[in-house]
Amino acid sequence: MKDWFLQKTAKEQKILVIGGVFSCLLLSYAFIYLPAARNTATLEKRITSQQNDLLLMQSMAAKVKQLSGNKAVTTTDSTQIMTLIEKTAKQHNLKISKINPLSKQRLLISFEKVMFNDAVRWLDSLQTKHSISVEKLNAQNNKNSINIQITLSY
């Protein structure tokens, strides 16, 4: 290849070098810069779209919060409250041993051999998400776990 190039006249060599450089620039532009620019534009469009979706969802969440009046529990039916308590306890991997209604809006919940941190997380979710409050908590140590009795009001 070198011999072939050296056999050319100086003018032809100059034309070949300029043509080679131009070809390299054109190929770099076509196969490196253009795809990167297209990807950047596509990503910018996706970001804009997702930001618009986020703003829409935030405004809808504010409307839902306003309409719900910040109360997840809208009924005082004790059977529905007991069902909610059992369901949320299962979600937090807690097994309820007893549920006893104490009065119209109070329940006594008993757990045996549960982890204290799991029970506290469960109680926090009841208070923040469902407006159920803890009146009294009695915990007894049981080696690696605890027994708990909780009085809840709603």
PDB file of all heavy atoms in Angstrom, residues 53-67:
ATOM      1  N   ASP A  53     -45.536  14.263  33.481  1.00  0.00           N
ATOM      2  CA  ASP A  53     -46.328  13.238  34.155  1.00  0.00           C
ATOM      3  C   ASP A  53     -46.237  13.379  35.668  1.00  0.00           C
ATOM      4  O   ASP A  53     -47.239  13.231  36.376  1.00  0.00           O
ATOM      5  CB  ASP A  53     -45.861  11.839  33.742  1.00  0.00           C
ATOM      6  CG  ASP A  53     -46.206  11.494  32.304  1.00  0.00           C
ATOM      7  OD1 ASP A  53     -47.024  12.224  31.695  1.00  0.00           O
ATOM      8  OD2 ASP A  53     -45.650  10.508  31.777  1.00  0.00           O
ATOM      9  N   LEU A  54     -45.037  13.677  36.168  1.00  0.00           N
ATOM     10  CA  LEU A  54     -44.849  13.856  37.602  1.00  0.00           C
ATOM     11  C   LEU A  54     -45.667  15.036  38.122  1.00  0.00           C
ATOM     12  O   LEU A  54     -46.336  14.928  39.156  1.00  0.00           O
ATOM     13  CB  LEU A  54     -43.364  14.063  37.930  1.00  0.00           C
ATOM     14  CG  LEU A  54     -43.032  14.367  39.387  1.00  0.00           C
ATOM     15  CD1 LEU A  54     -43.407  13.196  40.282  1.00  0.00           C
ATOM     16  CD2 LEU A  54     -41.569  14.726  39.533  1.00  0.00           C
ATOM     17  N   LEU A  55     -45.646  16.150  37.411  1.00  0.00           N
ATOM     18  CA  LEU A  55     -46.420  17.309  37.829  1.00  0.00           C
ATOM     19  C   LEU A  55     -47.921  16.999  37.835  1.00  0.00           C
ATOM     20  O   LEU A  55     -48.644  17.392  38.758  1.00  0.00           O
ATOM     21  CB  LEU A  55     -46.133  18.503  36.917  1.00  0.00           C
ATOM     22  CG  LEU A  55     -44.739  19.120  37.028  1.00  0.00           C
ATOM     23  CD1 LEU A  55     -44.539  20.184  35.952  1.00  0.00           C
ATOM     24  CD2 LEU A  55     -44.533  19.702  38.412  1.00  0.00           C
ATOM     25  N   LEU A  56     -48.372  16.278  36.821  1.00  0.00           N
ATOM     26  CA  LEU A  56     -49.778  15.892  36.748  1.00  0.00           C
ATOM     27  C   LEU A  56     -50.147  14.987  37.923  1.00  0.00           C
ATOM     28  O   LEU A  56     -51.180  15.189  38.574  1.00  0.00           O
ATOM     29  CB  LEU A  56     -50.067  15.191  35.420  1.00  0.00           C
ATOM     30  CG  LEU A  56     -51.489  14.685  35.214  1.00  0.00           C
ATOM     31  CD1 LEU A  56     -52.466  15.855  35.169  1.00  0.00           C
ATOM     32  CD2 LEU A  56     -51.580  13.866  33.949  1.00  0.00           C
ATOM     33  N   MET A  57     -49.298  14.003  38.227  1.00  0.00           N
ATOM     34  CA  MET A  57     -49.575  13.087  39.328  1.00  0.00           C
ATOM     35  C   MET A  57     -49.559  13.814  40.667  1.00  0.00           C
ATOM     36  O   MET A  57     -50.377  13.510  41.550  1.00  0.00           O
ATOM     37  CB  MET A  57     -48.557  11.954  39.339  1.00  0.00           C
ATOM     38  CG  MET A  57     -48.761  10.941  38.260  1.00  0.00           C
ATOM     39  SD  MET A  57     -47.547   9.632  38.423  1.00  0.00           S
ATOM     40  CE  MET A  57     -47.579   8.951  36.793  1.00  0.00           C
ATOM     41  N   GLN A  58     -48.647  14.768  40.841  1.00  0.00           N
ATOM     42  CA  GLN A  58     -48.601  15.524  42.089  1.00  0.00           C
ATOM     43  C   GLN A  58     -49.868  16.355  42.269  1.00  0.00           C
ATOM     44  O   GLN A  58     -50.408  16.429  43.376  1.00  0.00           O
ATOM     45  CB  GLN A  58     -47.365  16.421  42.124  1.00  0.00           C
ATOM     46  CG  GLN A  58     -46.085  15.652  42.354  1.00  0.00           C
ATOM     47  CD  GLN A  58     -44.849  16.522  42.237  1.00  0.00           C
ATOM     48  OE1 GLN A  58     -44.857  17.583  41.597  1.00  0.00           O
ATOM     49  NE2 GLN A  58     -43.755  16.075  42.842  1.00  0.00           N
ATOM     50  N   SER A  59     -50.338  16.961  41.188  1.00  0.00           N
ATOM     51  CA  SER A  59     -51.567  17.749  41.313  1.00  0.00           C
ATOM     52  C   SER A  59     -52.767  16.846  41.585  1.00  0.00           C
ATOM     53  O   SER A  59     -53.645  17.185  42.377  1.00  0.00           O
ATOM     54  CB  SER A  59     -51.800  18.598  40.062  1.00  0.00           C
ATOM     55  OG  SER A  59     -52.108  17.784  38.956  1.00  0.00           O
ATOM     56  N   MET A  60     -52.793  15.671  40.957  1.00  0.00           N
ATOM     57  CA  MET A  60     -53.883  14.734  41.210  1.00  0.00           C
ATOM     58  C   MET A  60     -53.829  14.206  42.648  1.00  0.00           C
ATOM     59  O   MET A  60     -54.861  14.036  43.286  1.00  0.00           O
ATOM     60  CB  MET A  60     -53.829  13.586  40.208  1.00  0.00           C
ATOM     61  CG  MET A  60     -54.152  14.021  38.787  1.00  0.00           C
ATOM     62  SD  MET A  60     -53.886  12.702  37.604  1.00  0.00           S
ATOM     63  CE  MET A  60     -55.483  11.926  37.654  1.00  0.00           C
ATOM     64  N   ALA A  61     -52.628  13.960  43.158  1.00  0.00           N
ATOM     65  CA  ALA A  61     -52.485  13.492  44.542  1.00  0.00           C
ATOM     66  C   ALA A  61     -52.972  14.556  45.513  1.00  0.00           C
ATOM     67  O   ALA A  61     -53.618  14.243  46.520  1.00  0.00           O
ATOM     68  CB  ALA A  61     -51.039  13.126  44.826  1.00  0.00           C
ATOM     69  N   ALA A  62     -52.687  15.815  45.216  1.00  0.00           N
ATOM     70  CA  ALA A  62     -53.155  16.904  46.078  1.00  0.00           C
ATOM     71  C   ALA A  62     -54.685  16.969  46.066  1.00  0.00           C
ATOM     72  O   ALA A  62     -55.307  17.185  47.108  1.00  0.00           O
ATOM     73  CB  ALA A  62     -52.558  18.225  45.623  1.00  0.00           C
ATOM     74  N   LYS A  63     -55.291  16.775  44.893  1.00  0.00           N
ATOM     75  CA  LYS A  63     -56.752  16.777  44.807  1.00  0.00           C
ATOM     76  C   LYS A  63     -57.347  15.613  45.591  1.00  0.00           C
ATOM     77  O   LYS A  63     -58.340  15.770  46.300  1.00  0.00           O
ATOM     78  CB  LYS A  63     -57.204  16.708  43.354  1.00  0.00           C
ATOM     79  CG  LYS A  63     -56.989  17.992  42.591  1.00  0.00           C
ATOM     80  CD  LYS A  63     -57.427  17.858  41.151  1.00  0.00           C
ATOM     81  CE  LYS A  63     -57.107  19.115  40.361  1.00  0.00           C
ATOM     82  NZ  LYS A  63     -57.447  18.964  38.937  1.00  0.00           N
ATOM     83  N   VAL A  64     -56.753  14.428  45.461  1.00  0.00           N
ATOM     84  CA  VAL A  64     -57.240  13.256  46.190  1.00  0.00           C
ATOM     85  C   VAL A  64     -57.120  13.489  47.691  1.00  0.00           C
ATOM     86  O   VAL A  64     -58.041  13.194  48.452  1.00  0.00           O
ATOM     87  CB  VAL A  64     -56.467  11.985  45.772  1.00  0.00           C
ATOM     88  CG1 VAL A  64     -56.728  10.830  46.719  1.00  0.00           C
ATOM     89  CG2 VAL A  64     -56.820  11.605  44.353  1.00  0.00           C
ATOM     90  N   LYS A  65     -56.009  14.036  48.110  1.00  0.00           N
ATOM     91  CA  LYS A  65     -55.799  14.318  49.532  1.00  0.00           C
ATOM     92  C   LYS A  65     -56.824  15.330  50.031  1.00  0.00           C
ATOM     93  O   LYS A  65     -57.374  15.191  51.120  1.00  0.00           O
ATOM     94  CB  LYS A  65     -54.378  14.833  49.749  1.00  0.00           C
ATOM     95  CG  LYS A  65     -53.962  14.912  51.177  1.00  0.00           C
ATOM     96  CD  LYS A  65     -52.494  15.284  51.286  1.00  0.00           C
ATOM     97  CE  LYS A  65     -52.053  15.303  52.718  1.00  0.00           C
ATOM     98  NZ  LYS A  65     -50.646  15.672  52.848  1.00  0.00           N
ATOM     99  N   GLN A  66     -57.082  16.336  49.226  1.00  0.00           N
ATOM    100  CA  GLN A  66     -58.062  17.357  49.597  1.00  0.00           C
ATOM    101  C   GLN A  66     -59.462  16.750  49.685  1.00  0.00           C
ATOM    102  O   GLN A  66     -60.217  17.026  50.608  1.00  0.00           O
ATOM    103  CB  GLN A  66     -58.039  18.487  48.571  1.00  0.00           C
ATOM    104  CG  GLN A  66     -59.032  19.590  48.851  1.00  0.00           C
ATOM    105  CD  GLN A  66     -59.054  20.626  47.733  1.00  0.00           C
ATOM    106  OE1 GLN A  66     -58.436  20.434  46.702  1.00  0.00           O
ATOM    107  NE2 GLN A  66     -59.753  21.705  47.941  1.00  0.00           N
ATOM    108  N   LEU A  67     -59.823  15.907  48.722  1.00  0.00           N
ATOM    109  CA  LEU A  67     -61.148  15.305  48.705  1.00  0.00           C
ATOM    110  C   LEU A  67     -61.334  14.280  49.825  1.00  0.00           C
ATOM    111  O   LEU A  67     -62.421  14.130  50.364  1.00  0.00           O
ATOM    112  CB  LEU A  67     -61.414  14.643  47.356  1.00  0.00           C
ATOM    113  CG  LEU A  67     -61.568  15.599  46.169  1.00  0.00           C
ATOM    114  CD1 LEU A  67     -61.671  14.811  44.878  1.00  0.00           C
ATOM    115  CD2 LEU A  67     -62.793  16.484  46.344  1.00  0.00           C
TER     116      LEU A  67
END
